[in-house]
Amino acid sequence: MFKVQQTIGSVLCCKCGVPMPPNAANMCVNCLRSEVDITEGLQKSIQIFYCPECGCYLQPPKTWIKAQWESRDLLSFCIKRLKNLNKVRLKNAEFVWTEPHSKRIKVKLTVQAEVLNGAVLEQSYPVEYTVRDNLCESCSRFQANPDQWVASVQLRQHVSHRRSFFYLEQLILRHDAASRAVRIKQVHQGIDFFFGNKRHADSFVDFLSKVVPIEYRQDKQLVSHDVKSSLYNYKYTYSVKICPICREDLIFLPSKVAIGLGNLGPLVVCTKVSDNITLLDPRTLRCAFLDASQYWRSGFRSALTSRQLVKYSVFYVEPPVGETTVGGQKYALSYVQIARESDTGNLFCVQTHLGHILKTGDQALGYDIYGANVNDDEMEKYRLHGRLPEAILIKKCYDKERERKKGKPRAFTTKKLPMEMDESRGGRGVDPGKMENEYEEFLRDLEENPELRFNISLYKNKDYQESDETASMTDGEGAPTVPIEELLAELELSEEGEGDGEDDMDE
Amino acid sequence: MATRLQFENNCEVGVFSKLTNAYCLVAIGGSENFYSAFESELADVIPIVKTSLGGTRIIGRLCAGNKNGLLVPHTTTDQELQHLRNSLPDAVVVQRIEERLSALGNCIACNDHVALAHTDLDKETEEIIADVLGVEVFRQTIAGNILVGSYCALSNRGGIVHPHTSVEDLDELSTLIQVPLVAGTVNRGSEVIGAGMTVNDWTALCGSDTTATELSVIDSIFKLREAQPSSIVDEMRKSLIDTYV
């Protein structure tokens, strides 16, 4: 259909006389704006509250919203605070620059509304927000008492060494389990963790139950009580006990437990402690697993611990009579002739599960049952009947090889948790010299056992040079070390911006 | 010269009055102010008649006329018709027409030579218009509106139409009517020009809301600045005086 071309003519604005295309009001935009103010009745200035500690803004009645200066969150929060904005349509909103310490936020809003006879007018206007500082509840509570904690986890293991805690520390660091702890304190035979929130403490205890066998109880203490609204403020305490059985411990199982595990030889060695305990009978190479609840039902303690390990020299190793692999670890049963270092005249011929690594001339660490004085009636009875072996070897000793590397730094370093030391109990507190020795032994343990390193992050030692290592490697077999591939490079955030990435080629 | 006035606080002057070159009709208002304003403008030049049509005061929208005649709708009573016939000059033919569209002021826009009519007007009505008013009738729309009488104000010198009229339409109308046309507004941006003002060859009367800009547009398009009533009416007076004798 033929349509005539319609050109819009121009009329004069009825107020100012400037030529303009005709519109519903027949006034130019300026005249219309001067006539009608669509921003009338809208809020132009408003007060908002800001917590300077945590950077949150208050949305009454009680919510605090975290927002950065001049961010989208802040913009939407500001717009939400305006009251009558539903009468007009909001087209655009943006921040106008204000001096950050002026305590004013300016937002320019562009709104559209219908005026007169159907003409839609768009107008922008600034809204000024006065920012008032007001500490939010959690910050004010924290300010009043910075050591305020709501839940605490008291982790204890009633043994004389702190090896488990070193290992646990590395695990916690790797999994970031204690990131929300307000304070960490080291005490005799344990560590205390303090949290600001019961949920955090709960999740931490959950994490612990997955990595070590624990038993815990939870108690609460009333702090304050609001009668009118029946709100009770409590402090929660979790008393967590780690089972006292550690790796390389020698255990004499009580008869009930031994029978329950399928007549496992009453003398067993603990080979691994994770969320359950692995017990190995060194004479039959049978393994059994006990989880936390099973252990705590009987609650037996170890007969001999790693403190009591004695050095033996191996004189002769017979070829292994049986081999088995349990939990990724290989064991071979064989007879060996050994004698204590201190008393080489006395030869013993014993069975050992380390047949696959021991060779003539090696040194090994083991428990001297022949000369031990154990406080256990059952065990004494066994001994009288002559059914106890004279010695049980636990691991190979690398002291000779270590001599070569004495004084040289290791290829790896570990990180530590920010712990407070308990100086208060004088004498019963931790002895720094002893701690160092124990830590050194722990690091040696890590070197010797790859399965221990599985869940731990080890970092490259910056001071360590490759050349030292290769020089020592040329002469014979060196002491076991952590291969370079397993080490993580530390993340360095330097001014140049390039971060040293984590090259983790681990499993 | 264009003047501003109000009828009982209402700025729609064209609703309550009808102004032509030969006569003027005004509605009966509560106060005499409206009538006085007309009198002061037109005084001895042309007769000013107070009337109602069909009992209503919206006489400007109900009737259509020029110096030759006046058409009133079928709703006009006999008394009103008689009154009009008595008061108006004899040269002016007053005719009542039967037409479905009874608001003749909205449907017909005319000056002394040409008239624009509503597209749906009867054929008979068109003939009567041509006869009584002595004009050439064109059926047209203005900016797509069929109520031509409401959306334009015409005189022999010029005219104002609805502001949304396109340039092509304006040209077309202008060539039809043979007078210069402009798209404009009256009464502060109102598009209903026919109802907002009333005009003849030497004067225009607008609602008091009319802005200075609009007034200047009216003045320029209707050429009111040079216009002197005497020069125009002198011609007419000759025919008027004839009857006295």
Side-chain angles (χ1 to χ4, degrees), chain A residues 414-473:
Chain A
T414 52
K415 284 196 179 153
K416 301 241 184 153
L417 272 180
M419 276 198 259
E420 288 172 18
M421 297 298 166
D422 182 16
E423 317 288 338
S424 59
R425 283 138 122 240
R428 286 207 72 201
V430 278
D431 177 15
K434 200 166 84 161
M435 281 273 287
E436 284 231 11
N437 283 339
E438 285 191 354
Y439 202 72
E440 179 63 33
E441 280 180 24
F442 168 65
L443 290 178
R444 276 192 213 159
D445 251 351
L446 282 183
E447 282 182 340
E448 290 170 14
N449 296 292
E451 59 176 42
L452 261 193
R453 296 197 292 267
F454 177 62
N455 247 338
I456 285 180
S457 309
L458 296 170
Y459 297 91
K460 278 193 194 142
N461 190 355
K462 284 176 287 231
D463 309 325
Y464 173 74
Q465 275 122 4
E466 280 259 359
S467 51
D468 294 343
E469 177 59 31
T470 48
S472 60
M473 282 297 275

Side-chain angles (χ1 to χ4, degrees), chain A residues 88 106 108 191 219 380 382 392 396 415 419 472:
Chain A
V88 295
K106 277 213 179 96
K108 191 164 88 153
I191 309 178
D219 297 295
E380 281 303 311
Y382 260 70
I392 292 192
K396 184 166 159 175
K415 284 196 179 153
M419 276 198 259
S472 60

Side-chain angles (χ1 to χ4, degrees), chain A residues 4-17 22-27 35, chain B residues 162-169 183-185 188-191 211-214 216-217:
Chain A
V4 185
Q5 159 85 355
Q6 304 280 8
T7 327
I8 309 287
S10 79
V11 292
L12 298 184
C13 162
C14 66
K15 270 187 88 173
C16 57
N23 62 34
N26 290 317
M27 278 194 247
E35 277 286 300
Chain B
H162 190 293
H164 289 188
T165 315
S166 66
V167 174
E168 291 82 13
D169 274 358
T185 65
R188 201 170 250 277
S190 167
E191 295 151 346
T211 60
T213 317
E214 291 165 338
S216 71
V217 169

Side-chain angles (χ1 to χ4, degrees), chain A residues 93-113:
Chain A
E94 57 184 12
F95 279 112
V96 176
W97 184 83
T98 49
E99 195 64 57
H101 62 77
S102 65
K103 299 281 172 205
R104 300 280 185 277
I105 298 176
K106 277 213 179 96
V107 177
K108 191 164 88 153
L109 294 175
T110 311
V111 291
Q112 266 184 0

Side-chain angles (χ1 to χ4, degrees), chain A residues 287-432:
Chain A
C287 256
F289 299 94
L290 272 184
D291 73 358
S293 44
Q294 275 177 305
Y295 168 77
W296 289 108
R297 244 175 268 151
S298 46
F300 53 84
R301 294 197 64 121
S302 22
L304 290 170
T305 65
S306 49
R307 282 274 158 97
Q308 282 101 29
L309 282 172
V310 168
K311 266 197 214 156
Y312 287 87
S313 2
V314 177
F315 289 116
Y316 181 62
V317 181
E318 286 185 21
V321 293
E323 272 187 14
T324 175
T325 313
V326 170
Q329 269 283 67
K330 204 172 103 158
Y331 299 112
L333 191 61
S334 60
Y335 282 90
V336 288
Q337 273 194 357
I338 52 174
R340 286 172 293 189
E341 288 274 306
S342 52
D343 184 17
T344 42
N346 233 330
L347 276 179
F348 303 111
C349 189
V350 288
Q351 274 180 327
T352 174
H353 59 281
L354 301 172
H356 57 297
I357 39 174
L358 287 178
K359 287 187 286 301
T360 317
D362 271 348
Q363 277 188 328
L365 289 169
Y367 291 111
D368 179 20
I369 301 175
Y370 177 76
N373 195 353
V374 185
N375 189 5
D376 192 337
D377 290 335
E378 285 266 338
M379 200 163 159
E380 281 303 311
K381 251 191 265 173
Y382 260 70
R383 190 207 289 267
L384 288 175
H385 292 282
R387 280 150 70 179
L388 282 182
E390 287 101 359
I392 292 192
L393 295 178
I394 298 293
K395 57 184 180 182
K396 184 166 159 175
C397 182
Y398 295 98
D399 277 351
K400 270 200 238 142
E401 288 89 351
R402 286 235 164 75
E403 278 295 316
R404 269 179 242 140
K405 283 193 3 182
K406 206 179 175 111
K408 295 204 188 97
R410 285 205 162 78
F412 64 92
T413 54
T414 52
K415 284 196 179 153
K416 301 241 184 153
L417 272 180
M419 276 198 259
E420 288 172 18
M421 297 298 166
D422 182 16
E423 317 288 338
S424 59
R425 283 138 122 240
R428 286 207 72 201
V430 278
D431 177 15

